[in-house]
Amino acid sequence: MMRSLLLVLSLLVALPLWAAQISVPAGQGTLAKAIAGANPGDVLILGAGVYAGPVTIDRPLTITGTHDAIIDGTGQGTVVTIDAPDVSVTGVTVTGSGLDSQNLDAGIKILKKADRALVENNRVLGNLHGVDVHGGHDAQVRGNVIEGTQQFRMNDRGNGIYVWNSPGTLVEGNTVRWGRDGIFSNTSRKGIYRNNLFRDLRFAVHYMYTNDSEVSGNVSIGNHLGYAIMFSNKVVLKNNLSLSDISHGVMLNYANNADVSGNLVRGGADRCTFIYNAHKNLIYDNRFEGCNIGIHFTAGSERNVLTGNAFISNRTQVKYVGTRDIEWSFEGRGNYWSDHPGFDLGGDGIADSPFRPNDLMDHILWSQPAASLLTGAPAVQLIRWAQSSFPATLPGGVVDSAPLMAAPTITVSPEYTAMEADAAARRKESDLDDFDVNDLASH
């Protein structure tokens, strides 16, 4: 409450001298009438109560108030439509959009040419889409609490924040829960999506055809997939957390020239990281821990650099099926492998022997799953011992010529650790949503 009042006061101080400050009473049609009668630059101050929507802001205005000021769309289309440049919507509650996915019903929608919109410190609750940035340039979506609908199948819900063809969008410091994807960015560029918290979603961040942009400092907890970078070029993905996400932590699918660094993926049920037909990416100083597969790397991915990463306590550290060797070190610095019994006589932090995470039996088991029945057989153990003793017999695959002796550390706050534990516990107690993660690479 105090924060909202301080925000209102700060906005009033920053007003141009000619702007009017108009108090708008709650009620049916009062907000729409106030917008129609306002001059550009005016500030409409909403008090506690319900304001009937939908409304369209068609001139540069500021609409502000406290969270007790509720704009309710009563289930009809988009609740608040921004159709003019330099509009601010701050500090209020927006709820009650329609549920028409074809029309992209949303709590707040920013239209084409509605540039420099500010959507800040609002509660956007129970709408199909939360905030839809739909063509406006240089929008800022900051500090909002966005909770989507829990109706329908997860794939049929809306996104917390949908960015379409909206260059320069800043999405920062939001908390997004339920609905479909936390941020779905499609056919856009030069966006910054940072320091957001995502929970109980399909994807935390879902990129399609989004270039020259940054995803940094975000936290994904208990989602089906953390960060899906798909059909996108020159994306910086750094310092994000993926904690107890269900299928994947990070996916690069037809993603090229990305900078993927400083990310922690921990406790995923399937793959910490999946790299599918992705080229010329720098993947360094990440920590992949406690997944069934640390990194699934497909043979169609070329000219990627992997160095300084940590692969810790994954059931299978690397899944790569190929006929040639791929070097995973760069300029004399490789990666840390928790299952590498290395030693460092030189004391330089680099193990004295190279490491291969896979052997011939891995390749056989991946291509012939029925062979898993023989995993414990003495003959299989003999083959594995022979290959470790005579490396020339090994098939093509990942080779780390300079393994690290110590893993990079990435800290997690107690608050997020508690959320991670809660997500892991709930996952054990409940059935998964009817969402097929095996289809991800084709979308």
Side-chain angles (χ1 to χ4, degrees):
M1 182 73 172
M2 181 60 68
R3 181 182 175 188
S4 298
L5 291 174
L6 290 173
L7 179 62
V8 172
L9 292 174
S10 66
L11 287 169
L12 295 179
V13 170
L15 291 176
L17 295 177
W18 58 88
Q21 304 166 27
I22 303 169
S23 294
V24 182
Q28 181 74 32
T30 57
L31 180 55
K33 182 177 179 180
I35 292 170
N39 295 313
D42 285 353
V43 176
L44 306 185
I45 303 173
L46 309 188
V50 177
Y51 294 78
V55 296
T56 297
I57 306 172
D58 59 357
R59 62 204 72 189
L61 297 174
T62 293
I63 293 181
T64 189
T66 70
H67 291 157
D68 293 327
I70 302 169
I71 307 175
D72 189 341
T74 65
Q76 304 174 54
T78 289
V79 183
V80 176
T81 300
I82 298 176
D83 193 16
D86 302 306
V87 169
S88 297
V89 178
T90 65
V92 299
T93 295
V94 179
T95 189
S97 81
L99 299 175
D100 188 334
S101 58
Q102 281 192 314
N103 288 327
L104 297 175
D105 289 347
I108 301 173
K109 187 185 296 288
I110 301 169
L111 298 180
K112 185 177 180 180
K113 298 184 180 180
D115 299 336
R116 300 174 299 279
L118 172 64
V119 177
E120 185 173 34
N121 192 35
N122 302 287
R123 296 169 73 237
V124 185
L125 308 178
N127 305 288
L128 182 63
H129 297 276
V131 179
D132 178 11
V133 189
H134 212 81
H137 291 201
D138 302 315
Q140 296 187 50
V141 182
R142 304 191 312 220
N144 303 282
V145 173
I146 301 173
E147 296 181 357
T149 179
Q150 298 183 64
Q151 302 178 50
F152 319 121
R153 296 171 61 252
M154 182 173 282
N155 283 353
D156 296 330
R157 301 170 189 168
N159 305 303
I161 300 166
Y162 180 25
V163 180
W164 178 82
N165 193 23
S166 300
T169 298
L170 171 65
V171 179
E172 181 176 33
N174 303 281
T175 297
V176 184
R177 194 170 190 184
W178 300 307
R180 184 171 59 197
D181 298 342
I183 298 174
F184 179 32
S185 182
N186 187 15
T187 318
S188 198
R189 58 189 172 87
K190 295 185 178 180
I192 298 176
Y193 311 139
R194 66 188 177 204
N195 300 337
N196 303 284
L197 171 62
F198 304 102
R199 301 179 67 191
D200 301 312
L201 299 154
R202 185 183 70 162
F203 300 168
V205 176
H206 184 187
Y207 260 36
M208 295 288 289
Y209 308 103
T210 297
N211 304 321
D212 301 296
S213 56
E214 176 184 315
V215 179
S216 63
N218 301 286
V219 180
S220 171
I221 302 177
N223 303 302
H224 283 272
L225 195 154
Y227 307 94
I229 309 302
M230 307 172 73
F231 300 96
S232 299
N233 191 44
K234 295 183 180 179
V235 175
V236 174
L237 181 71
K238 67 179 183 181
N239 302 333
N240 301 285
L241 303 180
S242 168
L243 306 176
S244 201
D245 287 330
I246 294 168
S247 62
H248 302 56
V250 173
M251 171 191 282
L252 301 180
N253 179 22
Y254 288 88
N256 303 317
N257 302 294
D259 185 324
V260 182
S261 64
N263 303 287
L264 169 64
V265 180
R266 185 167 74 188
D270 189 10
R271 290 170 272 197
C272 283
T273 306
F274 183 35
I275 300 176
Y276 179 87
N277 204 16
H279 311 289
K280 296 188 288 186
N281 300 292
L282 300 177
I283 303 170
Y284 61 98
D285 296 347
N286 304 284
R287 187 175 172 113
F288 305 123
E289 180 177 357
C291 300
N292 284 341
I293 299 173
I295 183 168
H296 186 177
F297 192 86
T298 62
S301 301
E302 303 287 345
R303 289 185 286 173
N304 296 285
V305 173
L306 288 95
T307 179
N309 304 289
F311 297 88
I312 300 173
S313 301
N314 302 294
R315 291 185 62 185
T316 299
Q317 299 281 45
V318 176
K319 183 174 181 179
Y320 171 81
V321 180
T323 58
R324 63 185 181 86
D325 288 342
I326 293 183
E327 178 60 53
W328 278 13
S329 65
F330 181 70
E331 296 182 347
R333 183 171 183 255
N335 305 276
Y336 176 82
W337 307 89
S338 63
D339 54 342
H340 177 41
F343 50 88
D344 177 19
L345 296 179
D348 59 358
I350 305 296
D352 295 336
S353 60
F355 180 66
R356 286 177 176 264
N358 303 127
D359 60 19
L360 177 61
M361 288 309 304
D362 289 326
H363 290 241
I364 292 173
L365 293 171
W366 295 332
S367 60
Q368 304 292 331
S372 60
L373 296 173
L374 303 175
T375 300
V380 172
Q381 302 307 312
L382 179 61
I383 292 172
R384 283 190 156 148
W385 173 84
Q387 290 192 330
S388 65
S389 301
F390 303 100
T393 65
L394 286 165
V398 171
V399 180
D400 188 339
S401 298
L404 302 181
M405 295 299 296
T409 59
I410 299 176
T411 59
V412 179
S413 72
E415 176 189 10
Y416 295 146
T417 300
M419 292 181 185
E420 176 187 18
D422 176 67
R426 286 188 289 113
R427 188 171 71 197
K428 289 180 180 179
E429 293 173 358
S430 63
D431 294 330
L432 300 182
D433 194 282
D434 52 347
F435 168 58
D436 188 357
V437 300
N438 295 319
D439 291 338
L440 288 175
S442 63
H443 281 63

